[in-house]
Amino acid sequence: MNEKKHGNAPGADTPGTPDTDTPGTDIPGASSSWSSKPEVDGAQATMPGLGLRGTLLFLWRQLTSMQTALILLMLLAVAAVPGSLYPQRSVNPSLTDQFLEENGKWGEFLDALGFFEVFSSPWFSAIYLLLFLSLIGCIVPRVGVHLRQLRAKPPRTPSRLTRFVGHTRIELPGADADAVLEQAHRALRRSRYRTVVREETSSRSVSAERGLLRETGNLAFHIALVGVLVCIAGGQMTSYRGQVTVIEGSGFSNSLTQYDSFESGAWFDEQDMPPFRFTLEDFRATYVQPGESGSVGEPRSFEADVAVTTPGDPEFSQTVQVNKPLHIDGASMYLLGNGYAPEVTVTDPEGTVVAEGPIITVPLGDVGYTSQLVIKAPDAQPEQTAVVGYFLPTGTIDEQGPRSLYPDSLDPQLALTVHQGDLGLDSGIPQNAYEVDVSTLTPVAGEDGNPVLIRLYPGQEFELPDGTTVSFDGLRRFAAFDIAHNPFERWVLVSALVAVGGLILSLFVPRRRVWVRVRSTADGALFEVAGLARSDDPSLEADVHALASKLSTAQDGPLAGNGTSDDERLPRAAKDSSEGSAQ
Amino acid sequence: MINEQLAELSNLAVVVAIVLYVLALIGFSADLASTSQRRSDARLAALDEQEGARVLQTASVASEGGAPVAAAHSRDGGEDPAADVTTAPAPGAMTAQKFAFLLSMAATLLHVLGVLARAAATQRVPWANMYEFATTSSALVMVAFLVFSIKRAELRALGTFVVGPVLLVLLLAQTFWIVPAAALTPSLQNSHWLIIHIGIAIIATALSILGAVVASLQLLKGRHEHALAEKTAAGEDLPEHWGRAGHVLDRLPSSTALESLSFRIHSIAFVCWTFTLMFGAIWAREAWGRFWGWDPKEVWTFIIWVIYAAYLHARATGGFRGSRAAGLALAGFVAVVFNYTIVNTVINGLHSYSGL
Ligand code: HEM
């Protein structure tokens, strides 16, 4: 059922076997060579002629056939699976590295096959490019056919209507054939059918058609899919995305040097970055407190107040939240992370301040926000110094070591050790600012020979045996933002909307034909009505019957028992109606 | 913020609904069993009659014997007259099916109440974690089934196959996925996309479940019809296939009718999945700054979408219609289940917070 012969020329598609076009006759294998493009399939059956041209033509027809599209779609689904099972580099590179480390040769093998970059792998790309090639090859001819069909008149009325859906034949004694036809014509037009009146040898007929919008929608859908793909590709070439970390009270101005990390497409131009700046005025976080429902310490809200200036406009303030990004012309800024930045001052044994100010700490991911802190003081004398340890928003130190019990800063403290030695900053190898390798350094030890553990509360200062001092001067928070822009984004959305619109039309607009044939008889008129569903169309039969009874009642008042009939009961129905109207 | 009494009420309603569903399931199954029994009796009676007839006039029966057979296996799916010949209950009497249908209505009512109470307790939409998603979407499956089958009584015969999966989902939810009613995590706050995206996803999931039920019955019924037709062609007068299970299948609408029902459900489901995908992408842009990032949940929604698209194409392609297309619809459903269970619990991704 639901056969559509999109490739057929209009007028040439009077079905040879009407049954296959009627809903409810799904005969498996009855038309196994059928496809939406019959002419093409006809060509498939014959082997390609020798020669390059013939072979290419053959391949092209294979590629644009419905079967191929189907297989490519299935391949696409299967090929996407490993992309969700193996950690993808583009999504989470550290997980990929971890997997590679744990899996040795097997990992390398998978890596060589592209299992960690599935969605940019040659095989995945090949599948979707072939699919879209097939799609384009499939739509182009259909567009031509459809345009012609839109302009053409509905096809000729089949000479025998008996085998079509809801066929009804009614005799109307005393009626005028032309009037009946005219009425049928009007009724169909009112129901938004395209109609044409045909003069036949001994009769006249209206041929009506409705639902060309279905094919229009289908074409729009497929074309819009190509649009989505093109716009995604365009976006990949021109978009940029970067991460920034900003401490309360500090600012950021949008230029490449200010980003912690940054990536952009091949056609991205730095000049296109909007020159905005902002200050992070305040960052607030709330968490589930003991006694509230939910698990204690779970975040409830994150809010970052920013004051933004763009050239030529007055400064404005906005609260950026998760799900509430800041949009300015040419960029959007998303709140994606946060943490603590304790203000710490380190002086070396000679009394020089070697580090001062808020230090961004890295949350370890526990509920209590235990955060790792690293301060590198390469200028310290007599030796380079590194301060490492933890910031604890609500701290405790027990057998498990220093940790935080609650994410809010209820009892903030620092648990630190100080190490001295060559920090290796001159080696030329770029280092992560938030990490230091202490294995080559010497911890500053106390009198008992053990490394000194420093525990500091805000406002306190600690002096080590060698004279180094560390003080905890205050606490600020920091927020991490992603700043991104994709100029093609809105076009992806527009294409996607066109696609769903088309999809809905193409799935739910029934496409059908209805015919009315009227003949003059000795004592009046005889008319026949029938329909043909060209898509799933459960209400066609009822509609045809409704039309038939409308035509018969309009001519000479309500007639008993002649409303409906179908092909099996045809002779009796015709007889019934003539009897009925003879009364 | 959280109204604990309402939360408890919600829990209670769902638990009672589960009990009622169990009873309804028993009712529907008893109905299937008894009709298949009736069918056997009818068959025996018909055989007896034939035997008798054969004794009387051997010659003519051979040609006319086909008539009762054709009636007993009429393919049009509706109420089968033969089903009720022997022990048809008096009109108005409480049949097992009617009983089960009323019970499942009551259960659904409680189930929906439970969902609403949860929403009232948390003052937000009741679909922010796996438990809530499961209870809400299964409620929707039931509502859709009841709506379909209030008008078309013949669909009530599908009761077992709908209540069964719903019960399974509810039991899983109530034992493994249950979490206390709570306010939203920040990543889910402030967004009307929570309502739109997940709301549509729930409808899509419910339709996929219904579609899968219909598609599997279509496959079974198709095979059954085929076997019966072969046996009839081989000259059997009262062909039997798959014993009692076969009699159950006899009561269902024809495979063609199931096929077109399945198609209608799946086309709506496909549109809903398309919207789920799109709204998800829009939300991802608002929340994570990109509309698509191949997060495992995104990957699997994409896979579901592609498989259902393949189903629609298969249905329009010669040689793939009927059972093969139904197979694809079921593959789509497997992807839906995978997306909901494995991706939420085992695979680590951005959607993990919405899980347990
Ligand atoms: C990106 C790949 C594709 C996707 C996602 C896709 C999706 C869809 C969807 C959802 C429908 C359902 C609408 C309907 O049934 O009317 C459809 C229909 C259709 N598609 Fe595609 N399609 C794709 C590629 C293709 C290709 C390559 C061809 C040509 C070989 C094609 C030909 C058709 C035809 C002829 C229909 C109408 C089928 C019918 O009669 O129901 N599509 N497509």
Side-chain angles (χ1 to χ4, degrees), chain A residues 485-510:
Chain A
H485 183 58
N486 178 349
F488 278 82
E489 217 163 45
R490 74 187 57 192
W491 299 112
V492 176
L493 180 63
V494 168
S495 314
L497 286 173
V498 172
V500 258
L503 177 67
I504 289 172
L505 291 180
S506 107
L507 284 174
F508 304 118
V509 171

Side-chain angles (χ1 to χ4, degrees), chain A residues 2-4 6 34 36-37 63-70 72-73 76 130-139 142 214-215 218 221-222 225 502-503 505-507, chain B residues 263 270 274 305-306 308-310 312-313 315-316:
Chain A
N2 181 31
E3 300 195 8
K4 275 170 273 174
H6 297 299
W34 181 87
S36 63
K37 295 161 62 245
L63 180 64
T64 55
S65 79
M66 201 72 156
Q67 272 94 339
T68 310
L70 187 55
L72 286 172
L73 273 170
L76 189 68
L130 276 178
L131 181 60
F132 274 88
L133 203 61
S134 160
L135 179 59
I136 293 167
C138 175
I139 345 182
R142 279 172 62 198
R214 185 184 182 96
E215 177 72 351
N218 191 285
F221 169 75
H222 285 91
L225 282 187
L503 177 67
L505 291 180
S506 107
L507 284 174
Chain B
F263 172 66
F270 183 73
T274 310
W305 190 80
V306 169
Y308 280 135
L312 293 176
H313 280 99
R315 221 176 152 273

Side-chain angles (χ1 to χ4, degrees), chain A residues 325-378:
Chain A
L326 165 73
H327 293 296
I328 49 175
D329 199 17
S332 301
M333 188 169 88
Y334 306 87
L335 175 61
L336 287 191
N338 69 87
Y340 291 95
E343 293 169 37
V344 182
T345 307
V346 182
T347 55
D348 66 12
E350 296 179 7
T352 326
V353 173
V354 290
E356 186 178 23
I359 308 293
I360 288 172
T361 60
V362 181
L364 296 182
D366 59 341
V367 173
Y369 256 72
T370 304
S371 306
Q372 188 158 9
L373 176 142
V374 171
I375 299 170
K376 295 179 197 175

Side-chain angles (χ1 to χ4, degrees), chain A residues 402-415:
Chain A
R403 64 203 172 90
S404 175
L405 301 170
Y406 188 72
D408 214 350
S409 56
L410 301 182
D411 184 15
Q413 44 192 285
L414 291 168

